[in-house]
Amino acid sequence: MLPVIVALVTTPTPAATPDPAIVTPGPLGFAAIAFIGLAVFLLVWDMLRRIRRGRYREEVNAELDAEEQARAAEAASETDDEDIDPAAPRS
């Protein structure tokens, strides 16, 4: 019974730690992470450029639509004035 108690009480020896030279990523791992970082940077830069271009297009289209509506309103008001009484003298 004593050997069983001694076996249960003793702490196991810790496992040996791996060699740090094997665990580190090394230059290849650094190059892979640098490549991923550069790719993410370029993708975000391109996305922001495309979003900005889309905003500019929307602003230009809104200005063109406003000008077109103003021209249409002006033409409609001139046409309406003439259609009310064509025999009336124009001043």
Side-chain angles (χ1 to χ4, degrees), residues 45-87:
W45 186 34
D46 183 56
M47 178 188 65
L48 290 174
R49 187 178 55 143
R50 289 173 186 264
I51 289 172
R52 195 176 310 122
R53 187 182 308 151
R55 277 194 205 141
Y56 291 150
R57 284 182 182 165
E58 286 180 17
E59 289 175 5
V60 168
N61 286 338
E63 289 176 9
L64 291 174
D65 289 343
E67 289 176 6
E68 185 178 328
Q69 288 176 354
R71 283 190 203 120
E74 183 179 328
S77 67
E78 290 174 4
T79 305
D80 289 344
D81 291 344
E82 293 173 0
D83 289 342
I84 292 174
D85 188 8

